[in-house]
Amino acid sequence: MTKSGAPADVYPKDEMNLDAGYGLHKGVLSPIETLAQSVSAMAPSTSPSLTIPLVFALAGNGTWFVYLLTTAAMLLVGFCISRFARMSASPGSLYTYTADTLRPSLGAIGAWALLLAYVATGASVAGGALYYGNILLTQFFGSNPPALATLALVFIITGAVAYRDVKLSAEMMLWVEVVSVSLIVIVLALLLSRYGFRIDMNQLRLKGVSIPHLGPALVLAMFSFVGFESATTLGGEAREPLKTIPRAVIQCAILAGVFFMLCAYSEVLGFQGETGKLSDSTSPLHVLARKAGVSPLGTAIDFGAFVSMISCVLACTTAASRVLLRMSHSGLIPDLFGRTHKKFGTPVAGVVITSIAMFAMTVFLALRGVGGTDMYGWLGSISVFGFLTAYALVAVALPFARKALGQHSLTITVISGFTVLVMIAGAIGSIDPSQPAPVVWFPYIYLGYMALGMICFLLRRKIVHARRSAS
């Protein structure tokens, strides 16, 4: 803290904030590679295959509209995050923004929520990788290996890359997503050309849409975006982080929103006349590729989705390990997690424990006969609670950080307050007592996890307060 009482880490000229790299390799990531972290954590090429059909099951012809509303909500969050990212660059991302501005207890809530968000998202998409891996292996070889073998391979690959080199990790993630998204856009463009680019009035008028179902649909759609802020975890490794990271966050939200709305509109249009529903399709883009007259691209897209999900696991491992790094330096967890590899400049313990935690989640479900799509949906739903908590806390903290800098703005305060209300509405909308088990248990699982996190904080609060006072 400074003598004025303002949090030290929110000052844009603060040398400690910009130069404390925590042992990470500084300035190794270009603006494009920094953007790749956020893009890959979202895994945009997976949503058309797995998330949009789930949203359609609730929103029907209003699927594109749900994504429009969700894009607006994420831009509100992105605005708050980008304003912080212009002032502070740290591996802790949203946790740092909250912890350096609000009370230590609220900082701890943000830390544990964000950690769960990244770990649960990584485990979720690993389930998606299992699902698409089985589809591809069955298609080409007529059989597939045991789920545990596939999951182990996924986490060994991603853990090794995250351990070895963050630059290699970013480059790999970038090209995977570029190729996957490009293939999807080609199929959708060919499909729309066959329809003569006509306007689907049923979708435009939201025909048959049930208003009560829009709330749960919005929460599902949010899962398509979660992770778009993860470029902020690279504050110690990005070049000119105070410029490149805010730009990456906003660019990611806008590009993803446009892409998801295009996919939602095209998929709903493309499935008109099909015997099966979009919500029941095991590989919707494969069906659309056939209708567009480019069936081979359907298989390529399935393969792209598989690789993209592995890429997302890697991005989540990268992000979660850096959150653990920052939590360790703050005293929330043991110092072991604050150490980095002398040669590779990566948080070794964080990468290892993150990979083990993700693997344990998926193995636990696989041993109970849970399939890849259910893993994707269930763990993804739990992760949304963590992201909503972290996003809300950042929005709460922003006006206080600006005030500490003598930059109070009524506009920013209003936007921050509205963002908090949107996040609260999202959390409430995700709670549906009528849902079957285990979905109905997810809010309680999240609250139980957060309770354990706060117990850890209470046990280490003296260390946390001492390190905060010394900063």
Side-chain angles (χ1 to χ4, degrees):
M1 300 286 287
T2 64
K3 291 181 180 180
S4 66
D9 283 352
V10 301
Y11 284 91
K13 302 296 185 182
D14 191 338
E15 294 299 323
M16 178 191 71
N17 186 35
L18 294 177
D19 292 340
Y22 300 96
L24 301 168
H25 287 169
K26 292 182 58 182
V28 297
L29 299 178
S30 69
I32 292 295
E33 290 166 338
T34 303
L35 176 63
Q37 168 65 27
S38 280
V39 172
S40 298
M42 284 196 310
S45 56
T46 66
S47 284
S49 301
L50 290 177
T51 309
I52 288 178
L54 296 176
V55 175
F56 173 79
L58 293 169
N61 284 320
T63 302
W64 71 272
F65 182 66
V66 167
Y67 273 99
L68 174 63
L69 295 178
T70 308
T71 300
M74 291 300 101
L75 283 174
L76 286 173
V77 174
F79 173 84
C80 296
I81 293 173
S82 67
R83 286 301 181 274
F84 257 119
R86 291 179 180 181
M87 299 185 286
S88 173
S90 164
S93 70
L94 308 191
Y95 160 50
T96 296
Y97 304 157
T98 301
D100 291 339
T101 307
L102 304 177
R103 297 175 62 86
S105 56
L106 292 176
I109 291 174
W112 288 107
L114 190 62
L115 180 63
L116 175 70
Y118 286 133
V119 171
T121 297
S124 168
V125 292
L130 172 64
Y131 172 73
Y132 270 97
N134 288 342
I135 286 179
L136 292 167
L137 289 170
T138 300
Q139 182 178 347
F140 288 105
F141 302 104
S143 63
N144 49 72
L148 296 187
T150 302
L151 292 169
L153 182 62
V154 167
F155 289 110
I156 288 172
I157 292 173
T158 55
V161 175
Y163 174 91
R164 176 64 176 79
D165 188 351
V166 68
K167 187 173 178 64
L168 172 63
S169 168
E171 290 173 349
M172 187 181 87
M173 292 186 294
L174 174 64
W175 288 110
V176 166
E177 290 302 332
V178 166
V179 172
S180 298
V181 170
S182 297
L183 289 175
I184 292 172
V185 170
I186 290 171
V187 168
L188 296 182
L190 291 173
L191 180 69
L192 291 176
S193 68
R194 289 209 163 194
Y195 279 86
F197 296 100
R198 65 179 176 84
I199 297 176
D200 184 357
M201 296 305 298
N202 288 337
Q203 291 193 66
L204 188 62
R205 295 171 179 170
L206 307 181
K207 182 178 179 181
V209 174
S210 172
I211 300 300
H213 287 165
L214 289 182
L218 281 165
V219 175
L220 279 173
M222 283 184 184
F223 185 57
S224 294
F225 287 85
V226 295
F228 82 103
E229 80 301 321
S230 67
T232 58
T233 62
L234 302 179
E237 295 153 290
R239 297 174 199 161
E240 297 185 287
L242 300 184
K243 294 180 180 179
T244 59
I245 290 177
R247 191 180 303 137
V249 170
I250 296 298
Q251 287 174 341
C252 199
I254 294 173
L255 293 174
V258 172
F259 176 67
F260 293 143
M261 282 187 281
L262 170 66
C263 291
Y265 176 85
S266 302
E267 288 185 47
V268 173
L269 178 65
F271 265 79
Q272 292 179 4
E274 287 291 311
T275 55
K277 294 181 179 180
L278 171 60
S279 54
D280 298 329
S281 177
T282 58
S283 185
L285 290 175
H286 209 124
V287 174
L288 298 183
R290 174 180 54 78
K291 293 190 71 172
V294 284
S295 292
L297 285 187
T299 301
I301 289 173
D302 286 346
F303 180 76
F306 170 70
V307 179
S308 178
M309 289 176 184
I310 295 178
S311 176
C312 182
V313 176
L314 173 56
C316 290
T317 303
T318 298
S321 63
R322 281 147 182 80
V323 172
L324 285 169
L325 177 71
R326 184 64 175 81
M327 289 172 69
S328 175
H329 280 266
S330 298
L332 272 175
I333 56 177
D335 292 339
L336 170 66
F337 295 98
R339 300 170 188 167
T340 54
H341 196 284
K342 292 183 180 179
K343 179 180 179 182
F344 302 140
T346 55
V348 179
V351 169
V352 172
I353 196 65
T354 297
S355 298
I356 291 174
M358 292 178 182
F359 182 59
M361 286 183 182
T362 53
V363 166
F364 175 81
L365 294 174
L367 290 176
R368 281 155 180 75
V370 177
T373 52
D374 283 334
M375 289 185 196
Y376 179 86
W378 294 355
L379 294 171
S381 296
I382 293 174
S383 77
V384 170
F385 286 106
F387 280 114
L388 289 175
T389 301
Y391 293 162
L393 286 172
V394 168
V396 169
L398 180 59
F400 292 99
R402 300 277 299 187
K403 185 177 180 180
L405 292 169
Q407 300 175 0
H408 176 69
S409 166
L410 179 61
T411 301
I412 287 180
T413 300
V414 171
I415 292 174
S416 297
F418 186 64
T419 303
V420 173
L421 292 177
V422 171
M423 296 301 103
I424 293 174
I428 294 174
S430 65
I431 300 173
D432 184 358
S434 66
Q435 290 288 333
V439 178
V440 72
W441 303 336
F442 293 162
Y444 307 105
I445 292 174
Y446 175 69
L447 291 175
Y449 162 84
M450 291 302 297
L452 290 175
M454 293 312 294
I455 290 173
C456 291
F457 165 73
L458 292 174
L459 292 175
R460 298 181 62 86
R461 66 185 183 279
K462 291 184 179 179
I463 300 174
V464 173
H465 282 283
R467 293 192 182 180
R468 181 180 172 111
S469 299
S471 64

Short mmCIF file of all heavy atoms in Angstrom, two decimals, residues 64-103:
data_model
loop_
_atom_site.label_atom_id
_atom_site.label_comp_id
_atom_site.label_asym_id
_atom_site.label_seq_id
_atom_site.Cartn_x
_atom_site.Cartn_y
_atom_site.Cartn_z
N TRP A 64 -29.72 -17.15 -31.62
CA TRP A 64 -28.83 -16.05 -32.04
C TRP A 64 -29.02 -14.83 -31.12
O TRP A 64 -28.05 -14.13 -30.80
CB TRP A 64 -29.13 -15.64 -33.49
CG TRP A 64 -30.45 -14.93 -33.65
CD1 TRP A 64 -31.67 -15.48 -33.87
CD2 TRP A 64 -30.67 -13.52 -33.54
NE1 TRP A 64 -32.65 -14.51 -33.92
CE2 TRP A 64 -32.05 -13.30 -33.73
CE3 TRP A 64 -29.84 -12.41 -33.32
CZ2 TRP A 64 -32.64 -12.03 -33.70
CZ3 TRP A 64 -30.41 -11.14 -33.28
CH2 TRP A 64 -31.80 -10.96 -33.47
N PHE A 65 -30.25 -14.59 -30.69
CA PHE A 65 -30.55 -13.45 -29.82
C PHE A 65 -29.92 -13.64 -28.45
O PHE A 65 -29.43 -12.67 -27.84
CB PHE A 65 -32.06 -13.29 -29.70
CG PHE A 65 -32.49 -12.11 -28.87
CD1 PHE A 65 -32.24 -10.82 -29.30
CD2 PHE A 65 -33.15 -12.30 -27.66
CE1 PHE A 65 -32.63 -9.73 -28.54
CE2 PHE A 65 -33.54 -11.22 -26.90
CZ PHE A 65 -33.29 -9.93 -27.33
N VAL A 66 -29.94 -14.86 -27.96
CA VAL A 66 -29.29 -15.17 -26.69
C VAL A 66 -27.80 -14.83 -26.77
O VAL A 66 -27.23 -14.24 -25.85
CB VAL A 66 -29.49 -16.65 -26.31
CG1 VAL A 66 -28.56 -17.06 -25.17
CG2 VAL A 66 -30.93 -16.91 -25.92
N TYR A 67 -27.18 -15.19 -27.89
CA TYR A 67 -25.75 -14.89 -28.05
C TYR A 67 -25.51 -13.39 -28.22
O TYR A 67 -24.45 -12.88 -27.81
CB TYR A 67 -25.16 -15.68 -29.21
CG TYR A 67 -24.69 -17.04 -28.77
CD1 TYR A 67 -25.47 -18.18 -28.95
CD2 TYR A 67 -23.47 -17.19 -28.12
CE1 TYR A 67 -25.05 -19.43 -28.51
CE2 TYR A 67 -23.04 -18.44 -27.67
CZ TYR A 67 -23.83 -19.55 -27.87
OH TYR A 67 -23.41 -20.76 -27.43
N LEU A 68 -26.46 -12.68 -28.78
CA LEU A 68 -26.35 -11.23 -28.87
C LEU A 68 -26.35 -10.61 -27.47
O LEU A 68 -25.51 -9.76 -27.15
CB LEU A 68 -27.50 -10.66 -29.70
CG LEU A 68 -27.60 -9.12 -29.77
CD1 LEU A 68 -26.37 -8.54 -30.45
CD2 LEU A 68 -28.87 -8.70 -30.50
N LEU A 69 -27.29 -11.04 -26.64
CA LEU A 69 -27.35 -10.54 -25.27
C LEU A 69 -26.10 -10.92 -24.47
O LEU A 69 -25.57 -10.12 -23.70
CB LEU A 69 -28.59 -11.09 -24.56
CG LEU A 69 -29.96 -10.64 -25.11
CD1 LEU A 69 -31.08 -11.32 -24.34
CD2 LEU A 69 -30.11 -9.13 -25.04
N THR A 70 -25.64 -12.15 -24.68
CA THR A 70 -24.45 -12.61 -23.96
C THR A 70 -23.21 -11.83 -24.39
O THR A 70 -22.35 -11.50 -23.57
CB THR A 70 -24.22 -14.11 -24.20
OG1 THR A 70 -25.41 -14.83 -23.90
CG2 THR A 70 -23.10 -14.63 -23.31
N THR A 71 -23.13 -11.51 -25.68
CA THR A 71 -22.01 -10.70 -26.18
C THR A 71 -22.01 -9.34 -25.51
O THR A 71 -20.95 -8.84 -25.09
CB THR A 71 -22.10 -10.53 -27.70
OG1 THR A 71 -22.07 -11.81 -28.33
CG2 THR A 71 -20.94 -9.69 -28.22
N ALA A 72 -23.20 -8.74 -25.37
CA ALA A 72 -23.30 -7.44 -24.70
C ALA A 72 -22.84 -7.55 -23.25
O ALA A 72 -22.11 -6.68 -22.74
CB ALA A 72 -24.73 -6.93 -24.76
N ALA A 73 -23.24 -8.63 -22.56
CA ALA A 73 -22.83 -8.83 -21.17
C ALA A 73 -21.32 -9.00 -21.06
O ALA A 73 -20.67 -8.44 -20.16
CB ALA A 73 -23.54 -10.04 -20.58
N MET A 74 -20.74 -9.76 -21.97
CA MET A 74 -19.29 -9.99 -21.94
C MET A 74 -18.50 -8.73 -22.30
O MET A 74 -17.39 -8.53 -21.81
CB MET A 74 -18.92 -11.12 -22.90
CG MET A 74 -19.40 -12.49 -22.44
SD MET A 74 -18.76 -13.02 -20.81
CE MET A 74 -20.19 -12.68 -19.76
N LEU A 75 -19.09 -7.86 -23.12
CA LEU A 75 -18.42 -6.59 -23.43
C LEU A 75 -18.42 -5.68 -22.21
O LEU A 75 -17.46 -4.92 -21.99
CB LEU A 75 -19.11 -5.90 -24.61
CG LEU A 75 -18.78 -6.49 -25.99
CD1 LEU A 75 -19.62 -5.84 -27.07
CD2 LEU A 75 -17.29 -6.33 -26.30
N LEU A 76 -19.47 -5.76 -21.40
CA LEU A 76 -19.47 -5.02 -20.14
C LEU A 76 -18.34 -5.51 -19.23
O LEU A 76 -17.58 -4.71 -18.66
CB LEU A 76 -20.81 -5.19 -19.42
CG LEU A 76 -22.02 -4.44 -19.98
CD1 LEU A 76 -23.29 -4.88 -19.25
CD2 LEU A 76 -21.83 -2.94 -19.84
N VAL A 77 -18.23 -6.83 -19.11
CA VAL A 77 -17.15 -7.41 -18.31
C VAL A 77 -15.80 -7.04 -18.90
O VAL A 77 -14.86 -6.65 -18.19
CB VAL A 77 -17.30 -8.94 -18.24
CG1 VAL A 77 -16.09 -9.57 -17.54
CG2 VAL A 77 -18.58 -9.32 -17.52
N GLY A 78 -15.69 -7.16 -20.23
CA GLY A 78 -14.45 -6.83 -20.91
C GLY A 78 -14.04 -5.38 -20.70
O GLY A 78 -12.84 -5.07 -20.56
N PHE A 79 -15.02 -4.49 -20.67
CA PHE A 79 -14.73 -3.07 -20.41
C PHE A 79 -14.08 -2.91 -19.04
O PHE A 79 -13.05 -2.22 -18.90
CB PHE A 79 -16.02 -2.26 -20.48
CG PHE A 79 -15.87 -0.82 -20.07
CD1 PHE A 79 -15.43 0.13 -20.98
CD2 PHE A 79 -16.13 -0.42 -18.77
CE1 PHE A 79 -15.27 1.45 -20.61
CE2 PHE A 79 -15.98 0.91 -18.38
CZ PHE A 79 -15.55 1.84 -19.31
N CYS A 80 -14.65 -3.53 -18.02
CA CYS A 80 -14.11 -3.42 -16.66
C CYS A 80 -12.71 -4.02 -16.59
O CYS A 80 -11.79 -3.44 -16.00
CB CYS A 80 -15.04 -4.10 -15.67
SG CYS A 80 -16.68 -3.34 -15.51
N ILE A 81 -12.54 -5.19 -17.19
CA ILE A 81 -11.25 -5.86 -17.15
C ILE A 81 -10.20 -5.06 -17.89
O ILE A 81 -9.06 -4.90 -17.43
CB ILE A 81 -11.36 -7.28 -17.73
CG1 ILE A 81 -12.24 -8.16 -16.82
CG2 ILE A 81 -9.98 -7.92 -17.89
CD1 ILE A 81 -12.55 -9.52 -17.41
N SER A 82 -10.56 -4.53 -19.06
CA SER A 82 -9.59 -3.78 -19.86
C SER A 82 -9.13 -2.51 -19.16
O SER A 82 -7.97 -2.11 -19.29
CB SER A 82 -10.17 -3.46 -21.24
OG SER A 82 -11.25 -2.54 -21.14
N ARG A 83 -10.03 -1.87 -18.40
CA ARG A 83 -9.64 -0.68 -17.65
C ARG A 83 -8.62 -1.03 -16.57
O ARG A 83 -7.67 -0.30 -16.34
CB ARG A 83 -10.87 -0.02 -17.02
CG ARG A 83 -11.77 0.71 -18.02
CD ARG A 83 -10.98 1.81 -18.73
NE ARG A 83 -11.77 2.55 -19.69
CZ ARG A 83 -11.97 2.20 -20.96
NH1 ARG A 83 -11.44 1.07 -21.42
NH2 ARG A 83 -12.68 2.95 -21.78
N PHE A 84 -8.81 -2.17 -15.93
CA PHE A 84 -7.82 -2.63 -14.95
C PHE A 84 -6.51 -3.00 -15.65
O PHE A 84 -5.42 -2.71 -15.15
CB PHE A 84 -8.35 -3.84 -14.19
CG PHE A 84 -8.84 -3.52 -12.81
CD1 PHE A 84 -10.16 -3.73 -12.46
CD2 PHE A 84 -7.98 -3.01 -11.85
CE1 PHE A 84 -10.62 -3.44 -11.18
CE2 PHE A 84 -8.43 -2.72 -10.57
CZ PHE A 84 -9.75 -2.93 -10.23
N ALA A 85 -6.62 -3.68 -16.78
CA ALA A 85 -5.43 -4.16 -17.48
C ALA A 85 -4.57 -3.01 -17.99
O ALA A 85 -3.38 -3.20 -18.28
CB ALA A 85 -5.84 -5.06 -18.65
N ARG A 86 -5.14 -1.81 -18.11
CA ARG A 86 -4.35 -0.65 -18.50
C ARG A 86 -3.53 -0.10 -17.33
O ARG A 86 -2.61 0.68 -17.52
CB ARG A 86 -5.28 0.47 -19.00
CG ARG A 86 -5.95 0.18 -20.33
CD ARG A 86 -6.87 1.33 -20.71
NE ARG A 86 -7.53 1.08 -21.98
CZ ARG A 86 -8.38 1.93 -22.56
NH1 ARG A 86 -8.65 3.08 -21.97
NH2 ARG A 86 -8.95 1.63 -23.70
N MET A 87 -3.91 -0.52 -16.13
CA MET A 87 -3.24 -0.01 -14.93
C MET A 87 -2.30 -1.02 -14.29
O MET A 87 -1.41 -0.64 -13.53
CB MET A 87 -4.30 0.40 -13.89
CG MET A 87 -5.25 1.50 -14.35
SD MET A 87 -6.37 2.05 -13.03
CE MET A 87 -7.51 0.66 -12.95
N SER A 88 -2.53 -2.30 -14.54
CA SER A 88 -1.78 -3.33 -13.81
C SER A 88 -1.48 -4.51 -14.70
O SER A 88 -2.34 -4.94 -15.47
CB SER A 88 -2.60 -3.79 -12.59
OG SER A 88 -1.99 -4.89 -11.97
N ALA A 89 -0.26 -5.02 -14.61
CA ALA A 89 0.13 -6.21 -15.36
C ALA A 89 0.72 -7.22 -14.40
O ALA A 89 1.76 -6.97 -13.78
CB ALA A 89 1.16 -5.86 -16.45
N SER A 90 0.05 -8.34 -14.23
CA SER A 90 0.47 -9.33 -13.25
C SER A 90 0.00 -10.71 -13.68
O SER A 90 -1.03 -10.83 -14.35
CB SER A 90 -0.13 -9.00 -11.88
OG SER A 90 -0.06 -10.09 -11.01
N PRO A 91 0.71 -11.78 -13.31
CA PRO A 91 0.26 -13.14 -13.64
C PRO A 91 -1.07 -13.51 -12.98
O PRO A 91 -1.73 -14.44 -13.40
CB PRO A 91 1.39 -14.02 -13.10
CG PRO A 91 2.57 -13.13 -12.97
CD PRO A 91 2.03 -11.78 -12.65
N GLY A 92 -1.47 -12.77 -11.94
CA GLY A 92 -2.68 -13.14 -11.21
C GLY A 92 -3.98 -12.72 -11.86
O GLY A 92 -5.05 -13.09 -11.40
N SER A 93 -3.92 -11.92 -12.89
CA SER A 93 -5.08 -11.45 -13.65
C SER A 93 -6.19 -10.91 -12.75
O SER A 93 -5.97 -10.04 -11.93
CB SER A 93 -5.60 -12.55 -14.57
OG SER A 93 -6.20 -13.60 -13.86
N LEU A 94 -7.40 -11.43 -12.89
CA LEU A 94 -8.56 -10.89 -12.19
C LEU A 94 -8.38 -10.95 -10.68
O LEU A 94 -8.88 -10.09 -9.95
CB LEU A 94 -9.83 -11.65 -12.58
CG LEU A 94 -10.12 -11.79 -14.07
CD1 LEU A 94 -11.53 -12.32 -14.28
CD2 LEU A 94 -9.93 -10.49 -14.81
N TYR A 95 -7.67 -11.95 -10.20
CA TYR A 95 -7.42 -12.05 -8.75
C TYR A 95 -6.61 -10.85 -8.27
O TYR A 95 -6.90 -10.24 -7.24
CB TYR A 95 -6.70 -13.36 -8.44
CG TYR A 95 -5.98 -13.35 -7.11
CD1 TYR A 95 -6.63 -12.95 -5.95
CD2 TYR A 95 -4.64 -13.74 -7.02
CE1 TYR A 95 -5.97 -12.93 -4.73
CE2 TYR A 95 -3.98 -13.73 -5.81
CZ TYR A 95 -4.64 -13.33 -4.67
OH TYR A 95 -4.00 -13.31 -3.47
N THR A 96 -5.58 -10.48 -9.03
CA THR A 96 -4.75 -9.32 -8.66
C THR A 96 -5.58 -8.05 -8.63
O THR A 96 -5.47 -7.24 -7.70
CB THR A 96 -3.59 -9.16 -9.65
OG1 THR A 96 -2.73 -10.30 -9.57
CG2 THR A 96 -2.78 -7.91 -9.35
N TYR A 97 -6.42 -7.87 -9.63
CA TYR A 97 -7.25 -6.66 -9.68
C TYR A 97 -8.12 -6.54 -8.44
O TYR A 97 -8.30 -5.45 -7.90
CB TYR A 97 -8.14 -6.67 -10.93
CG TYR A 97 -7.41 -6.83 -12.24
CD1 TYR A 97 -8.08 -7.33 -13.36
CD2 TYR A 97 -6.08 -6.48 -12.38
CE1 TYR A 97 -7.43 -7.48 -14.57
CE2 TYR A 97 -5.42 -6.63 -13.59
CZ TYR A 97 -6.10 -7.14 -14.69
OH TYR A 97 -5.46 -7.29 -15.89
N THR A 98 -8.67 -7.66 -8.01
CA THR A 98 -9.55 -7.65 -6.83
C THR A 98 -8.75 -7.53 -5.54
O THR A 98 -9.06 -6.69 -4.68
CB THR A 98 -10.39 -8.94 -6.79
OG1 THR A 98 -11.16 -9.05 -7.99
CG2 THR A 98 -11.32 -8.93 -5.60
N ALA A 99 -7.71 -8.34 -5.40
CA ALA A 99 -6.95 -8.39 -4.15
C ALA A 99 -6.24 -7.08 -3.84
O ALA A 99 -6.11 -6.71 -2.67
CB ALA A 99 -5.94 -9.53 -4.21
N ASP A 100 -5.78 -6.38 -4.87
CA ASP A 100 -5.03 -5.15 -4.64
C ASP A 100 -5.93 -3.93 -4.45
O ASP A 100 -5.43 -2.83 -4.23
CB ASP A 100 -4.07 -4.88 -5.81
CG ASP A 100 -2.94 -5.88 -5.86
OD1 ASP A 100 -2.65 -6.50 -4.83
OD2 ASP A 100 -2.35 -6.06 -6.94
N THR A 101 -7.24 -4.14 -4.53
CA THR A 101 -8.17 -3.02 -4.41
C THR A 101 -9.15 -3.20 -3.25
O THR A 101 -9.42 -2.27 -2.51
CB THR A 101 -8.97 -2.85 -5.72
OG1 THR A 101 -8.06 -2.76 -6.82
CG2 THR A 101 -9.81 -1.59 -5.67
N LEU A 102 -9.67 -4.40 -3.10
CA LEU A 102 -10.67 -4.67 -2.07
C LEU A 102 -10.04 -5.34 -0.86
O LEU A 102 -8.83 -5.52 -0.79
CB LEU A 102 -11.78 -5.56 -2.65
CG LEU A 102 -12.49 -5.02 -3.91
CD1 LEU A 102 -13.50 -6.03 -4.42
CD2 LEU A 102 -13.16 -3.68 -3.61
N ARG A 103 -10.85 -5.71 0.09
CA ARG A 103 -10.37 -6.37 1.30
C ARG A 103 -9.71 -7.72 0.97
O ARG A 103 -10.10 -8.36 -0.02
CB ARG A 103 -11.52 -6.60 2.28
CG ARG A 103 -12.18 -5.32 2.78
CD ARG A 103 -13.39 -5.63 3.64
NE ARG A 103 -13.02 -6.39 4.82
CZ ARG A 103 -12.60 -5.86 5.96
NH1 ARG A 103 -12.49 -4.54 6.07
NH2 ARG A 103 -12.27 -6.63 6.99
#
